[in-house]
Amino acid sequence: MKISVVGCGRWGSCIAWYCSAIKKHDVLVYGLKGAPDYKQLVETGKNEYITMPSEVVLTDELDCAMRFSDTVIVSIGAQHFRGFLREIKDSKYLAGKQFILCMKGLESDTGKRLTEIFEEELGTDNRVAIWVGPGHVQDFYAGMPSCMLISSKDIEYTKFLVSELNSSLIRFYYGEDLLGAEIGAASKNVMGIAAGVLDGFNYSGMKGALMARGAREISRLVAAMGGDELTVYGLSHLGDYQATLFSEHSHNRMFGENYIKKVPMAKLAEGVDTSRALMKLAEKYNVELPISTAIYEMIFEKKDPKETMEKLFDRSTKFEF
């Protein structure tokens, strides 16, 4: 199998390493010319997370990446996804391409899922799937196994990808609810920020309650949107909580903690933009999202974090389910 990986950040480089070193596929990585991540890989063959196999081809020419393979794995910031699709929609190499989206986010201005954006920009001629679930680059590179999920509208495409990508390092499951998996995967980053806020206040013992109530909140949203609320309790959301709410490697958890401690953070925390997107969805589907709203209010409305968190506990008493 020949694979083009678009994006050479933390996760993109891990995917390229996994597909080449573990699965022995032919891999090409596309990065932006002059971008620090790409420049480091070109000059040293490695980054702060992995050493790239020598067989992996690097390019800063998008046409080259599109020409190289029939399978394109995309791992870029969710807010740049629509722009990327507009770059390739007139490519002479687009016909017959199949895509895998290895990103966890929603479009902040619209609340739209990534596969929705994909179909809006490219139509339905190209197959698209998502690859989500728990795991950090550092753990995979160290040989620590995990379980992940591949989902699409086409179960035969899902099964094909699992057969091509499954290994003893990553055991893949077939996803049956694309909507629920996308919403769950994106929104767990908001819960990661909330976990970091708790760490910043030295309230880490409350993470168990955050896990339970956070998953319940997002399950209501998924159900209102027409998905299966049980999807939220699987690998795309609740199954990814350990890596997002507890791990020292989690950018979203780190962002939340640093926000409380007023420490600047340069690394991407997708949960920031996702909190904006969730407010769009909460309004559209008339669903209450108290934890997500609290994070949004802290970051974008600059409400006092301590008062905002305490307000969650002043809510009226009700049945758990």
Side-chain angles (χ1 to χ4, degrees), residues 179 216 218-230 232 285 287:
L179 183 154
R216 183 65 187 136
I218 301 304
S219 74
R220 291 197 303 269
L221 175 61
V222 167
M225 294 177 69
D228 184 348
E229 65 179 337
L230 289 179
V232 173
Y285 293 97
V287 177

Side-chain angles (χ1 to χ4, degrees), residues 51-108:
T51 297
M52 194 68 76
S54 59
E55 294 84 3
V56 172
V57 179
L58 300 173
T59 185
D60 57 16
E61 295 182 9
L62 188 52
D63 261 5
C64 180
M66 291 294 291
R67 184 175 64 246
F68 180 80
S69 71
D70 290 328
T71 302
V72 179
I73 297 179
V74 186
S75 180
I76 60 177
Q79 306 315 311
H80 302 295
F81 185 51
R82 191 182 290 275
F84 163 74
L85 294 175
R86 289 176 176 174
E87 275 191 80
I88 66 170
K89 69 189 307 178
D90 294 324
S91 171
K92 61 184 177 182
Y93 305 112
L94 183 60
K97 287 284 185 293
Q98 55 191 25
F99 290 79
I100 310 171
L101 311 183
C102 295
M103 308 132 67
K104 300 170 182 177
L106 302 168
E107 191 171 52
S108 61

Side-chain angles (χ1 to χ4, degrees), residues 22 60 62 138 265 273 285:
I22 305 300
D60 57 16
L62 188 52
Q138 296 92 327
M265 180 172 161
D273 285 319
Y285 293 97

Side-chain angles (χ1 to χ4, degrees), residues 102-117:
C102 295
M103 308 132 67
K104 300 170 182 177
L106 302 168
E107 191 171 52
S108 61
D109 290 339
T110 65
K112 289 182 176 177
R113 296 176 288 117
L114 300 179
T115 59
E116 282 185 283
I117 298 167

Side-chain angles (χ1 to χ4, degrees), residues 169-209:
L169 184 61
I170 302 179
R171 179 189 180 186
F172 285 98
Y173 284 80
Y174 306 135
E176 299 175 273
D177 175 21
L178 180 61
L179 183 154
E182 285 190 89
I183 296 296
S187 59
K188 64 94 188 178
N189 287 328
V190 179
M191 299 305 159
I193 293 176
V197 169
L198 293 178
D199 287 336
F201 284 133
N202 292 317
Y203 291 165
S204 303
M206 292 172 59
K207 287 185 184 179

Side-chain angles (χ1 to χ4, degrees), residues 196-197 200 253-265:
V197 169
R253 190 212 60 77
M254 192 186 308
F255 176 90
E257 182 174 359
N258 287 346
Y259 188 82
I260 299 305
K261 295 179 177 178
K262 300 187 180 341
V263 177
M265 180 172 161

Side-chain angles (χ1 to χ4, degrees), residues 127-188:
R127 297 193 296 184
V128 60
I130 63 168
W131 168 351
V132 296
H136 283 296
V137 175
Q138 296 92 327
D139 294 335
F140 284 130
Y141 193 61
M144 188 181 301
S146 189
C147 298
M148 301 189 81
L149 182 80
I150 289 178
S151 185
S152 73
K153 288 182 177 179
D154 181 348
I155 190 60
E156 293 308 315
Y157 181 43
T158 299
K159 289 180 177 180
F160 165 75
L161 292 177
V162 168
S163 70
E164 292 291 330
L165 296 170
N166 202 50
S167 74
S168 59
L169 184 61
I170 302 179
R171 179 189 180 186
F172 285 98
Y173 284 80
Y174 306 135
E176 299 175 273
D177 175 21
L178 180 61
L179 183 154
E182 285 190 89
I183 296 296
S187 59
K188 64 94 188 178

